[in-house]
Amino acid sequence: MSDLVYAWLGDAPVPYHQGWDLQKRLHERRVADEVADTVLFLEHEPVYTAGKRTGRWDRPITDPGAPVVDIDRGGKITWHGPGQLTVYPIVRMPDPVDVIAYVRMLEEAIIRTIAEYGLTGRRVEGRTGVWLDADPGRGLVERKVAAIGCRIARGVGMHGLALNCDNDLSWYDRIIPCGITDAGTTSLSVELGRDVTVADVRPRMERHLADVLGAEGYSHTDGAELLSGATARG
């Protein structure tokens, strides 16, 4: 893989449909080889996104206080919002496409990122995302710190990963996150007992993501301009 282009979409949380429209535009252009492999970094306005495997019982029973959007990625329902680092790699996959290997790469980038904070993330058989072990001595169940949901079409990926930094975890109480009922959800700030922001985590994630994807390097582009241009054309 050649260099990645990273785009931070700005400090203001992005409405979900605005970010999704930008993903789709970039995906079309990447399929046509009009742009390089591009990775969007952002925080969303509060939203629940329901993947293709979301069941009726996974959804909120009452008004959850944020929109519920049905989308074309795999997986079930989850939440995005302020304080969560959301990452959308719009990258061409090696041929033949190996979706499982790609998911493992994203998990590895998260595991390496949180290791810089002294946390040991791990994979759980049969589940995507990154987890922290249960700690009975502290009364803690197994808990998820990052979610992954991808779609690969015409050899190019979209959607991606979401790492909880300093977000409000009560949003997860209104759904069955990722369809999992026997584990909890956590954030870096909760685990470390101090504020760990998206701004703090992002440069670490950039380094590790480029490494696991096998990029030769990475550069940055003006994500706010990219977003405003896509919105104007939409």
Side-chain angles (χ1 to χ4, degrees):
M1 178 181 284
S2 58
D3 285 6
L4 293 173
V5 176
Y6 286 142
W8 168 241
L9 299 191
D11 294 334
V14 176
Y16 187 77
H17 279 288
Q18 197 172 335
W20 193 13
D21 287 345
L22 176 57
Q23 280 195 76
K24 288 184 281 191
R25 289 177 184 275
L26 283 175
H27 183 273
E28 289 294 324
R29 297 190 67 197
R30 186 67 190 96
V31 167
D33 281 326
E34 295 176 355
V35 295
D37 288 325
T38 303
V39 184
L40 306 178
F41 285 79
L42 66 150
E43 297 174 68
H44 273 303
E45 292 183 354
V47 63
Y48 294 97
T49 63
K52 294 178 179 178
R53 295 194 303 111
T54 302
R56 176 172 48 84
W57 48 88
D58 298 319
R59 296 172 181 269
I61 297 173
T62 58
D63 180 4
V68 180
V69 181
D70 289 282
I71 61 172
D72 56 358
R73 63 160 170 79
K76 297 193 175 186
I77 194 167
T78 193
W79 173 86
H80 298 299
Q84 181 191 72
L85 175 60
T86 302
V87 182
Y88 296 137
I90 315 299
V91 299
R92 185 175 297 284
M93 300 288 112
D95 192 27
V97 173
D98 187 335
V99 178
I100 299 301
Y102 177 59
V103 169
R104 295 294 171 259
M105 289 177 187
L106 298 183
E107 290 171 343
E108 184 63 24
I110 298 164
I111 289 169
R112 294 183 189 184
T113 297
I114 69 174
E116 293 200 25
Y117 296 93
L119 296 174
T120 302
R122 68 180 185 88
R123 300 174 178 89
V124 173
E125 185 68 29
R127 295 175 174 175
T128 59
V130 174
W131 301 77
L132 303 179
D133 281 331
D135 186 344
R138 295 168 57 203
L140 296 175
V141 298
E142 186 177 64
R143 54 223 182 274
K144 191 173 190 176
V145 70
I148 292 174
C150 304
R151 177 172 185 252
I152 298 174
R154 291 179 286 170
V156 174
M158 59 187 302
H159 302 293
L161 66 90
L163 174 59
N164 292 338
C165 298
D166 61 348
N167 48 294
D168 179 357
L169 296 176
S170 69
W171 287 100
Y172 291 102
D173 297 339
R174 305 165 206 188
I175 58 170
I176 301 178
C178 302
I180 294 164
T181 58
D182 59 349
T185 306
T186 191
S187 68
L188 298 182
S189 295
V190 166
E191 295 297 324
L192 298 172
R194 61 181 176 85
D195 196 28
V196 181
T197 66
V198 166
D200 182 58
V201 174
R202 181 161 52 90
R204 293 166 169 79
M205 179 64 76
E206 288 180 351
R207 285 190 285 106
H208 293 301
L209 186 62
D211 189 43
V212 301
L213 292 179
E216 296 174 8
Y218 58 88
S219 60
H220 296 86
T221 192
D222 188 337
E225 184 177 310
L226 197 66
L227 184 63
S228 62
T231 302
R233 287 190 298 273

